[in-house]
Amino acid sequence: MVESPKRPAGADRDRNGEGTGFEEFERAGWARRSGTYDEGFGRMTAGVHEPLLDAAGVRRGTRLLEVGCGTGRLALSALGRGAAVVATDGVEQMVAEATAALPGARVLHAALPRLPFADGDFDAVAGAFVINHVPEPASAVAELARVTAPGGRVALSCWDAPGRNLAQGLVAAAVAEAGATPAGDLPSHSPFAPYASPEAFAGLLAGAGLAAVRVEPVGWTHRVDPDRWWGDILSGTVLTSSLIEGQDARTVARIRAAYDRLVAPFAEADGSVGLPVAALVAVGTRRG
């Protein structure tokens, strides 16, 4: 467990507008994948949902806001706990998918760092792998703290280091092994990159005024057919899949051959692979 140090120097550059192009890139990419994300990559990310809801203290009667709800898997789990759920996403196509999947929740189109809620409207706020997709992480967490009631919790997850998160990192590793370079003008990194360590992630929440901040690792194994996982990455991610989109056929074949070599050590008897997944869950409490 890591507890609330200071944020890294220079980590607020997203406030100066440098995240604008990243935001447009992300929204366009997720809009295209709204119908293919859930049963592939979305199924893998669900491994963090129960730990995240536990960290947020979600139980029967909790007024929960989920940000970056995607297709609604986390919100559905919260409804199963008896929470009163409001779910938001910044991509209209994802809102449509979540609305269809969540008849018991209120689903809205809203994007961080500006939410259409009053101060202290919610007992808890949760976001599964959304903070690494926003253009202004510090402003986003401050907004989440604002809409949380005193004594309530903000719980967020991000990916752990690539070496521990092989399910997500295999394609990027294969691109590197194949010596390929991304085609087109792509963002060099997420604005969240300066916060992608336990210490800096804790500092991000503490910098928003949250108290009793802690960050804990969460791990699970994603079992999937290796051919399907290749397709799931391409149809269910934005920045990672962009490493392959636009490549010529020969380069794609080199990347795929590298992927096959990298995934082979995780093969199981039934032909599937058991891929390690690693995330960080950060939680902080709104001061009274």
Side-chain angles (χ1 to χ4, degrees):
M1 182 178 75
V2 176
E3 302 194 6
S4 53
K6 296 179 181 179
R7 300 202 313 272
D12 284 335
R13 286 175 293 180
D14 53 284
R15 291 181 182 271
N16 299 324
E18 295 181 12
T20 303
F22 176 80
E23 182 178 23
E24 293 172 353
F25 170 81
E26 284 275 314
R27 288 191 184 177
W30 290 119
R32 293 195 304 272
R33 290 161 176 80
S34 59
T36 57
Y37 168 78
D38 186 71
E39 284 304 315
F41 203 79
R43 186 170 66 88
M44 183 271 281
T45 65
V48 84
H49 290 174
E50 294 303 323
L52 193 65
L53 293 174
D54 288 345
V58 175
R59 58 186 182 277
R60 182 166 298 279
T62 298
R63 297 173 300 158
L64 174 69
L65 171 65
E66 184 197 357
V67 290
C69 67
T71 51
R73 281 181 177 259
L74 185 146
L76 190 61
S77 294
L79 289 170
R81 295 187 177 205
V85 179
V86 175
T88 68
D89 201 278
V91 177
E92 291 182 357
Q93 292 84 348
M94 286 292 191
V95 171
E97 294 286 334
T99 298
L102 298 169
R106 182 184 174 203
V107 185
L108 302 173
H109 179 230
L112 289 166
R114 292 165 295 279
L115 298 175
F117 308 114
D119 294 359
D121 263 358
F122 300 95
D123 301 317
V125 175
F129 305 113
V130 64
I131 194 63
N132 45 300
H133 294 291
V134 301
E136 302 176 30
S139 298
V141 178
E143 180 73 344
L144 298 181
R146 180 187 69 79
V147 302
T148 305
R153 297 179 186 174
V154 174
L156 301 169
S157 67
C158 74
W159 298 113
D160 205 343
R164 291 188 287 275
N165 186 33
L166 295 178
Q168 189 201 23
L170 275 173
V171 167
V175 169
E177 183 174 305
T181 57
D185 184 18
L186 303 177
S188 59
H189 63 276
S190 161
F192 181 75
Y195 304 105
S197 69
E199 296 79 9
F201 199 10
L204 180 64
L205 272 65
L210 295 170
V213 174
R214 65 182 189 275
V215 177
E216 296 180 343
V218 176
W220 64 100
T221 299
H222 183 56
R223 290 183 170 82
V224 65
D225 179 89
D227 291 333
R228 173 173 177 172
W229 188 237
W230 172 264
D232 289 344
I233 291 286
L234 297 183
S235 64
T237 65
V238 174
L239 193 56
T240 300
S241 64
S242 68
L243 300 175
I244 297 175
E245 291 176 342
Q247 303 281 4
D248 60 66
R250 183 174 296 181
T251 303
V252 172
R254 283 205 327 271
I255 296 170
R256 178 57 197 260
Y259 167 86
D260 289 340
R261 288 193 298 273
L262 292 170
V263 81
F266 302 96
E268 301 194 345
D270 63 357
S272 68
V273 290
L275 301 176
V277 189
L280 300 174
V281 171
V283 60
T285 300
R286 169 75 185 274
R287 299 178 191 274

PDB file of all heavy atoms in Angstrom, residues 70-96:
ATOM      1  N   GLY A  70     -18.498   3.353 -20.054  1.00  0.00           N
ATOM      2  CA  GLY A  70     -18.402   2.434 -21.179  1.00  0.00           C
ATOM      3  C   GLY A  70     -19.731   1.748 -21.436  1.00  0.00           C
ATOM      4  O   GLY A  70     -20.776   2.393 -21.515  1.00  0.00           O
ATOM      5  N   THR A  71     -19.694   0.433 -21.539  1.00  0.00           N
ATOM      6  CA  THR A  71     -20.907  -0.324 -21.843  1.00  0.00           C
ATOM      7  C   THR A  71     -21.699  -0.720 -20.602  1.00  0.00           C
ATOM      8  O   THR A  71     -22.721  -1.391 -20.721  1.00  0.00           O
ATOM      9  CB  THR A  71     -20.544  -1.576 -22.647  1.00  0.00           C
ATOM     10  OG1 THR A  71     -19.499  -2.282 -21.968  1.00  0.00           O
ATOM     11  CG2 THR A  71     -20.055  -1.206 -24.039  1.00  0.00           C
ATOM     12  N   GLY A  72     -21.229  -0.339 -19.409  1.00  0.00           N
ATOM     13  CA  GLY A  72     -22.047  -0.478 -18.210  1.00  0.00           C
ATOM     14  C   GLY A  72     -21.764  -1.649 -17.306  1.00  0.00           C
ATOM     15  O   GLY A  72     -22.538  -1.912 -16.377  1.00  0.00           O
ATOM     16  N   ARG A  73     -20.663  -2.350 -17.490  1.00  0.00           N
ATOM     17  CA  ARG A  73     -20.402  -3.541 -16.672  1.00  0.00           C
ATOM     18  C   ARG A  73     -20.253  -3.210 -15.181  1.00  0.00           C
ATOM     19  O   ARG A  73     -20.806  -3.902 -14.322  1.00  0.00           O
ATOM     20  CB  ARG A  73     -19.150  -4.263 -17.161  1.00  0.00           C
ATOM     21  CG  ARG A  73     -19.358  -5.128 -18.391  1.00  0.00           C
ATOM     22  CD  ARG A  73     -18.063  -5.829 -18.799  1.00  0.00           C
ATOM     23  NE  ARG A  73     -18.259  -6.722 -19.931  1.00  0.00           N
ATOM     24  CZ  ARG A  73     -18.383  -8.049 -19.834  1.00  0.00           C
ATOM     25  NH1 ARG A  73     -18.337  -8.630 -18.644  1.00  0.00           N
ATOM     26  NH2 ARG A  73     -18.539  -8.784 -20.915  1.00  0.00           N
ATOM     27  N   LEU A  74     -19.474  -2.187 -14.850  1.00  0.00           N
ATOM     28  CA  LEU A  74     -19.272  -1.848 -13.438  1.00  0.00           C
ATOM     29  C   LEU A  74     -20.581  -1.369 -12.811  1.00  0.00           C
ATOM     30  O   LEU A  74     -20.920  -1.753 -11.681  1.00  0.00           O
ATOM     31  CB  LEU A  74     -18.178  -0.798 -13.277  1.00  0.00           C
ATOM     32  CG  LEU A  74     -17.781  -0.453 -11.834  1.00  0.00           C
ATOM     33  CD1 LEU A  74     -16.301  -0.128 -11.755  1.00  0.00           C
ATOM     34  CD2 LEU A  74     -18.584   0.715 -11.276  1.00  0.00           C
ATOM     35  N   ALA A  75     -21.312  -0.536 -13.519  1.00  0.00           N
ATOM     36  CA  ALA A  75     -22.592  -0.042 -13.000  1.00  0.00           C
ATOM     37  C   ALA A  75     -23.549  -1.197 -12.728  1.00  0.00           C
ATOM     38  O   ALA A  75     -24.295  -1.182 -11.738  1.00  0.00           O
ATOM     39  CB  ALA A  75     -23.215   0.946 -13.980  1.00  0.00           C
ATOM     40  N   LEU A  76     -23.535  -2.201 -13.591  1.00  0.00           N
ATOM     41  CA  LEU A  76     -24.398  -3.362 -13.384  1.00  0.00           C
ATOM     42  C   LEU A  76     -24.028  -4.089 -12.094  1.00  0.00           C
ATOM     43  O   LEU A  76     -24.913  -4.516 -11.332  1.00  0.00           O
ATOM     44  CB  LEU A  76     -24.282  -4.303 -14.581  1.00  0.00           C
ATOM     45  CG  LEU A  76     -25.288  -5.450 -14.642  1.00  0.00           C
ATOM     46  CD1 LEU A  76     -26.713  -4.916 -14.729  1.00  0.00           C
ATOM     47  CD2 LEU A  76     -24.988  -6.353 -15.838  1.00  0.00           C
ATOM     48  N   SER A  77     -22.734  -4.216 -11.820  1.00  0.00           N
ATOM     49  CA  SER A  77     -22.307  -4.838 -10.568  1.00  0.00           C
ATOM     50  C   SER A  77     -22.749  -4.015  -9.366  1.00  0.00           C
ATOM     51  O   SER A  77     -23.157  -4.565  -8.336  1.00  0.00           O
ATOM     52  CB  SER A  77     -20.785  -4.995 -10.553  1.00  0.00           C
ATOM     53  OG  SER A  77     -20.350  -5.906 -11.536  1.00  0.00           O
ATOM     54  N   ALA A  78     -22.681  -2.693  -9.486  1.00  0.00           N
ATOM     55  CA  ALA A  78     -23.117  -1.819  -8.387  1.00  0.00           C
ATOM     56  C   ALA A  78     -24.610  -1.934  -8.153  1.00  0.00           C
ATOM     57  O   ALA A  78     -25.082  -1.936  -7.003  1.00  0.00           O
ATOM     58  CB  ALA A  78     -22.723  -0.380  -8.692  1.00  0.00           C
ATOM     59  N   LEU A  79     -25.387  -2.034  -9.221  1.00  0.00           N
ATOM     60  CA  LEU A  79     -26.830  -2.240  -9.072  1.00  0.00           C
ATOM     61  C   LEU A  79     -27.104  -3.548  -8.347  1.00  0.00           C
ATOM     62  O   LEU A  79     -28.033  -3.635  -7.534  1.00  0.00           O
ATOM     63  CB  LEU A  79     -27.496  -2.249 -10.445  1.00  0.00           C
ATOM     64  CG  LEU A  79     -27.585  -0.901 -11.177  1.00  0.00           C
ATOM     65  CD1 LEU A  79     -28.041  -1.115 -12.605  1.00  0.00           C
ATOM     66  CD2 LEU A  79     -28.528   0.051 -10.441  1.00  0.00           C
ATOM     67  N   GLY A  80     -26.283  -4.562  -8.620  1.00  0.00           N
ATOM     68  CA  GLY A  80     -26.437  -5.844  -7.934  1.00  0.00           C
ATOM     69  C   GLY A  80     -26.190  -5.757  -6.447  1.00  0.00           C
ATOM     70  O   GLY A  80     -26.684  -6.600  -5.680  1.00  0.00           O
ATOM     71  N   ARG A  81     -25.434  -4.739  -6.024  1.00  0.00           N
ATOM     72  CA  ARG A  81     -25.207  -4.510  -4.593  1.00  0.00           C
ATOM     73  C   ARG A  81     -26.319  -3.672  -3.957  1.00  0.00           C
ATOM     74  O   ARG A  81     -26.279  -3.412  -2.757  1.00  0.00           O
ATOM     75  CB  ARG A  81     -23.872  -3.804  -4.377  1.00  0.00           C
ATOM     76  CG  ARG A  81     -22.654  -4.611  -4.768  1.00  0.00           C
ATOM     77  CD  ARG A  81     -21.377  -3.892  -4.363  1.00  0.00           C
ATOM     78  NE  ARG A  81     -20.183  -4.677  -4.666  1.00  0.00           N
ATOM     79  CZ  ARG A  81     -19.025  -4.560  -4.039  1.00  0.00           C
ATOM     80  NH1 ARG A  81     -18.885  -3.658  -3.064  1.00  0.00           N
ATOM     81  NH2 ARG A  81     -17.990  -5.314  -4.372  1.00  0.00           N
ATOM     82  N   GLY A  82     -27.243  -3.207  -4.762  1.00  0.00           N
ATOM     83  CA  GLY A  82     -28.329  -2.389  -4.242  1.00  0.00           C
ATOM     84  C   GLY A  82     -28.056  -0.904  -4.240  1.00  0.00           C
ATOM     85  O   GLY A  82     -28.782  -0.134  -3.590  1.00  0.00           O
ATOM     86  N   ALA A  83     -27.019  -0.462  -4.969  1.00  0.00           N
ATOM     87  CA  ALA A  83     -26.710   0.966  -5.029  1.00  0.00           C
ATOM     88  C   ALA A  83     -27.671   1.688  -5.969  1.00  0.00           C
ATOM     89  O   ALA A  83     -28.259   1.089  -6.872  1.00  0.00           O
ATOM     90  CB  ALA A  83     -25.274   1.161  -5.516  1.00  0.00           C
ATOM     91  N   ALA A  84     -27.806   2.992  -5.729  1.00  0.00           N
ATOM     92  CA  ALA A  84     -28.536   3.867  -6.644  1.00  0.00           C
ATOM     93  C   ALA A  84     -27.500   4.490  -7.572  1.00  0.00           C
ATOM     94  O   ALA A  84     -26.661   5.277  -7.135  1.00  0.00           O
ATOM     95  CB  ALA A  84     -29.285   4.944  -5.875  1.00  0.00           C
ATOM     96  N   VAL A  85     -27.534   4.128  -8.852  1.00  0.00           N
ATOM     97  CA  VAL A  85     -26.422   4.403  -9.758  1.00  0.00           C
ATOM     98  C   VAL A  85     -26.765   5.457 -10.796  1.00  0.00           C
ATOM     99  O   VAL A  85     -27.807   5.387 -11.459  1.00  0.00           O
ATOM    100  CB  VAL A  85     -25.976   3.112 -10.481  1.00  0.00           C
ATOM    101  CG1 VAL A  85     -24.831   3.406 -11.445  1.00  0.00           C
ATOM    102  CG2 VAL A  85     -25.564   2.050  -9.468  1.00  0.00           C
ATOM    103  N   VAL A  86     -25.860   6.427 -10.924  1.00  0.00           N
ATOM    104  CA  VAL A  86     -25.834   7.332 -12.058  1.00  0.00           C
ATOM    105  C   VAL A  86     -24.533   7.042 -12.800  1.00  0.00           C
ATOM    106  O   VAL A  86     -23.463   7.016 -12.185  1.00  0.00           O
ATOM    107  CB  VAL A  86     -25.886   8.810 -11.632  1.00  0.00           C
ATOM    108  CG1 VAL A  86     -25.730   9.726 -12.854  1.00  0.00           C
ATOM    109  CG2 VAL A  86     -27.179   9.116 -10.893  1.00  0.00           C
ATOM    110  N   ALA A  87     -24.625   6.792 -14.109  1.00  0.00           N
ATOM    111  CA  ALA A  87     -23.454   6.448 -14.909  1.00  0.00           C
ATOM    112  C   ALA A  87     -23.279   7.477 -16.019  1.00  0.00           C
ATOM    113  O   ALA A  87     -24.259   7.895 -16.643  1.00  0.00           O
ATOM    114  CB  ALA A  87     -23.600   5.047 -15.506  1.00  0.00           C
ATOM    115  N   THR A  88     -22.030   7.884 -16.261  1.00  0.00           N
ATOM    116  CA  THR A  88     -21.756   8.856 -17.315  1.00  0.00           C
ATOM    117  C   THR A  88     -20.636   8.359 -18.213  1.00  0.00           C
ATOM    118  O   THR A  88     -19.767   7.589 -17.792  1.00  0.00           O
ATOM    119  CB  THR A  88     -21.331  10.220 -16.740  1.00  0.00           C
ATOM    120  OG1 THR A  88     -20.046  10.103 -16.112  1.00  0.00           O
ATOM    121  CG2 THR A  88     -22.345  10.746 -15.733  1.00  0.00           C
ATOM    122  N   ASP A  89     -20.660   8.846 -19.455  1.00  0.00           N
ATOM    123  CA  ASP A  89     -19.544   8.603 -20.364  1.00  0.00           C
ATOM    124  C   ASP A  89     -19.455   9.793 -21.315  1.00  0.00           C
ATOM    125  O   ASP A  89     -20.468  10.440 -21.617  1.00  0.00           O
ATOM    126  CB  ASP A  89     -19.737   7.313 -21.164  1.00  0.00           C
ATOM    127  CG  ASP A  89     -18.413   6.787 -21.718  1.00  0.00           C
ATOM    128  OD1 ASP A  89     -17.971   7.282 -22.769  1.00  0.00           O
ATOM    129  OD2 ASP A  89     -17.810   5.899 -21.085  1.00  0.00           O
ATOM    130  N   GLY A  90     -18.248  10.073 -21.774  1.00  0.00           N
ATOM    131  CA  GLY A  90     -18.030  11.194 -22.666  1.00  0.00           C
ATOM    132  C   GLY A  90     -18.240  10.877 -24.132  1.00  0.00           C
ATOM    133  O   GLY A  90     -18.102  11.760 -24.977  1.00  0.00           O
ATOM    134  N   VAL A  91     -18.572   9.625 -24.444  1.00  0.00           N
ATOM    135  CA  VAL A  91     -18.775   9.192 -25.820  1.00  0.00           C
ATOM    136  C   VAL A  91     -20.243   8.814 -25.991  1.00  0.00           C
ATOM    137  O   VAL A  91     -20.737   7.900 -25.315  1.00  0.00           O
ATOM    138  CB  VAL A  91     -17.866   7.998 -26.168  1.00  0.00           C
ATOM    139  CG1 VAL A  91     -18.127   7.491 -27.582  1.00  0.00           C
ATOM    140  CG2 VAL A  91     -16.398   8.386 -26.004  1.00  0.00           C
ATOM    141  N   GLU A  92     -20.946   9.490 -26.872  1.00  0.00           N
ATOM    142  CA  GLU A  92     -22.388   9.283 -27.012  1.00  0.00           C
ATOM    143  C   GLU A  92     -22.730   7.846 -27.377  1.00  0.00           C
ATOM    144  O   GLU A  92     -23.733   7.296 -26.912  1.00  0.00           O
ATOM    145  CB  GLU A  92     -22.946  10.243 -28.059  1.00  0.00           C
ATOM    146  CG  GLU A  92     -22.922  11.707 -27.623  1.00  0.00           C
ATOM    147  CD  GLU A  92     -23.537  12.625 -28.665  1.00  0.00           C
ATOM    148  OE1 GLU A  92     -23.931  12.121 -29.746  1.00  0.00           O
ATOM    149  OE2 GLU A  92     -23.620  13.834 -28.404  1.00  0.00           O
ATOM    150  N   GLN A  93     -21.893   7.220 -28.194  1.00  0.00           N
ATOM    151  CA  GLN A  93     -22.176   5.836 -28.597  1.00  0.00           C
ATOM    152  C   GLN A  93     -22.066   4.881 -27.416  1.00  0.00           C
ATOM    153  O   GLN A  93     -22.823   3.904 -27.335  1.00  0.00           O
ATOM    154  CB  GLN A  93     -21.221   5.423 -29.717  1.00  0.00           C
ATOM    155  CG  GLN A  93     -21.447   6.136 -31.041  1.00  0.00           C
ATOM    156  CD  GLN A  93     -20.761   7.495 -31.127  1.00  0.00           C
ATOM    157  OE1 GLN A  93     -20.286   8.036 -30.114  1.00  0.00           O
ATOM    158  NE2 GLN A  93     -20.676   8.035 -32.324  1.00  0.00           N
ATOM    159  N   MET A  94     -21.138   5.142 -26.491  1.00  0.00           N
ATOM    160  CA  MET A  94     -21.035   4.319 -25.293  1.00  0.00           C
ATOM    161  C   MET A  94     -22.238   4.551 -24.385  1.00  0.00           C
ATOM    162  O   MET A  94     -22.754   3.620 -23.750  1.00  0.00           O
ATOM    163  CB  MET A  94     -19.743   4.635 -24.537  1.00  0.00           C
ATOM    164  CG  MET A  94     -18.487   4.098 -25.187  1.00  0.00           C
ATOM    165  SD  MET A  94     -18.409   2.285 -25.158  1.00  0.00           S
ATOM    166  CE  MET A  94     -16.702   2.031 -25.678  1.00  0.00           C
ATOM    167  N   VAL A  95     -22.720   5.789 -24.307  1.00  0.00           N
ATOM    168  CA  VAL A  95     -23.915   6.087 -23.513  1.00  0.00           C
ATOM    169  C   VAL A  95     -25.103   5.278 -24.027  1.00  0.00           C
ATOM    170  O   VAL A  95     -25.893   4.735 -23.250  1.00  0.00           O
ATOM    171  CB  VAL A  95     -24.220   7.595 -23.533  1.00  0.00           C
ATOM    172  CG1 VAL A  95     -25.572   7.893 -22.890  1.00  0.00           C
ATOM    173  CG2 VAL A  95     -23.111   8.366 -22.816  1.00  0.00           C
ATOM    174  N   ALA A  96     -25.227   5.167 -25.339  1.00  0.00           N
ATOM    175  CA  ALA A  96     -26.322   4.384 -25.916  1.00  0.00           C
ATOM    176  C   ALA A  96     -26.200   2.908 -25.531  1.00  0.00           C
ATOM    177  O   ALA A  96     -27.195   2.258 -25.177  1.00  0.00           O
ATOM    178  CB  ALA A  96     -26.323   4.536 -27.434  1.00  0.00           C
TER     179      ALA A  96
END
